[in-house]
Every structure is written in C-alpha cells, then in structure tokens.
Amino acid sequence: MSQETKEKLLDGALRTLTEQGIAKTSARSVAAAAGVNQALVFYHFGSVDELLAAACRYGSEQRVARYRDRLQRVGSLSELLAVGRQIHVEEQAAGHVAVLGQLLAGAQTQPTLAAATAAGLDLWIAEIERVLVRVLADSPIGEFTDPAGLARAVAASFVGLELYEGVDPAGAEAALAALEQLGALMTALEELGPVAQKAVRYTLRRRTVMP
C-alpha cells in the first residue's frame, strides 16, 4: 500500500504540473490529484520540493523506458532524427512537454529540482549516446565525432525546440524540417561508395589535424 500511495503521489505531481503549473503545485493540489490525504506528501517525501524531484526522475524513467525499444532499432542518424521527431509529437500530445517546461522553470530557483531535472535529462542523453555510438561506428564521420557531446547537443536541441514551440510554432516547425534535411544529407553521405567515403575521411582528417 505504501508503494502504491507513493506512485499515486508521483503521478499526481506530474498531472498537477501539467494542468496547473509549478506555481500552483502544492501539497494540497497534488494530494487532491492523487486522491490521498495531503499529510502523506510529507510522510513519504518530506517536502513538496522533494516530491517534485522524485516525480521528475520517476517520469523520466517511465518515458525513456517507453521509447527504449524504438531507439534500439534505429540504424542511422537520419532514422534517429525521424524517431526524435515522432517522440516530440507524442510527448507534446501527452502533456509531457508542458511538464518539462514547468520543471525547467522551477529548476532555476530550486537546487533540488535542478539536480533532479538534470538527472532526468541524463537518462535521455544516455539512450541517445548509445544510438550514436552504434550508428556512427561505420559512418565516414564516425572517427571525427564525440558521441557523448553530440548526444547532449541533440538532447539540448530537442528540449529547446519543445519550449520554443510554445511561443513560435512555425519557427519550431522550420527548425525540425531543417533537422530532417540534415538527416537526408547524412543518409546520402552514409550511402556513398567505399572510394568516396575514403575521400571524405581523408578530407576530414586533413581539416582536423592541428597545425
């Protein structure tokens, strides 16, 4: 029963963030959403901030697990970008983009929430990095990229687009379309023959050699 109550509170916290925003998220509002006594917030988590931090980690674990199989089937950079766009659409429709926006807003002034939000994003970054390590292994640009850094860049780009879309949907759509064009270019590069790929690697090595 204790674990069930904790999960009700975690789900209630995420639902409250989506529907009311972080400014109106309180022990009372979360408990009402969870259908439990508000005293249980403090019994299980100690404070509302700790509950929100736990809800952030809990929500991220659920969302990453939902898409893990799909990400594991990605076979190229262009596929990764396409899957990223699909995930973006699904997450927005489910209200999770709104939750992320609220968590990032709260993280600016609440260190506990900032650490939990960063940890939640790290779960996504780890999944993306695994995909990049795999798909870049045979790519002509593989030896010239840093999968860990690129994974953070990809995650940061999608986080930014998710928030940007709220104020400029057309601009966000144009940015996503540009990423798809980049994916098409990467596909063309990956489909080059052995001689052409060797030439690409040679050119990149020349440009990346320190003077």
Side-chain angles (χ1 to χ4, degrees):
M1 181 62 71
S2 177
Q3 183 61 30
E4 181 182 349
T5 300
K6 289 179 70 173
E7 290 183 2
K8 284 183 178 179
L9 286 167
L10 293 169
D11 288 329
L14 293 172
R15 189 159 61 253
T16 304
L17 284 171
T18 303
E19 298 172 356
Q20 301 184 42
I22 196 165
K24 294 183 178 180
T25 298
S26 63
R28 177 175 294 180
S29 61
V30 171
V36 301
N37 189 295
Q38 73 180 68
L40 293 172
V41 169
F42 304 100
Y43 175 77
H44 286 291
F45 297 98
S47 69
V48 174
D49 283 356
E50 290 292 348
L51 168 58
L52 292 178
C56 176
R57 291 188 290 267
Y58 172 76
S60 295
E61 289 168 357
Q62 284 191 320
R63 306 316 298 171
V64 170
R66 173 183 174 85
Y67 299 112
R68 184 168 287 123
D69 287 345
R70 196 181 308 181
L71 288 167
Q72 288 177 346
R73 292 194 297 270
V74 168
S76 67
L77 288 174
S78 58
E79 284 183 33
L80 177 59
L81 290 171
V83 169
R85 182 157 189 171
Q86 293 168 7
I87 291 174
H88 167 77
V89 171
E90 293 177 26
E91 290 294 281
Q92 183 184 53
H96 297 291
V97 172
V99 170
L100 177 61
Q102 293 298 318
L103 290 170
L104 288 171
Q108 304 306 307
T109 57
Q110 299 175 37
T112 300
L113 193 54
T117 303
L121 289 173
D122 279 344
L123 293 176
W124 285 102
I125 291 167
E127 291 297 325
I128 296 170
E129 183 178 349
R130 277 191 278 271
V131 176
L132 290 172
V133 168
R134 185 175 70 253
V135 302
L136 288 172
D138 297 323
S139 169
I141 65 169
E143 66 181 273
F144 308 100
T145 57
D146 170 23
L150 186 56
R152 293 189 177 278
V154 170
S157 296
F158 274 95
V159 168
L161 284 171
E162 287 169 353
L163 300 178
Y164 180 49
E165 190 168 35
V167 296
D168 185 4
E173 178 62 28
L176 286 168
L179 286 175
E180 287 185 344
Q181 292 174 344
L182 177 61
L185 289 173
M186 292 307 305
T187 297
L189 184 61
E190 291 164 356
E191 292 176 350
L192 292 174
V195 175
Q197 287 198 11
K198 185 176 181 180
V200 170
R201 288 190 177 93
Y202 175 74
T203 300
L204 289 172
R205 287 192 188 103
R206 287 186 59 190
R207 290 183 177 276
T208 55
V209 170
M210 296 294 292

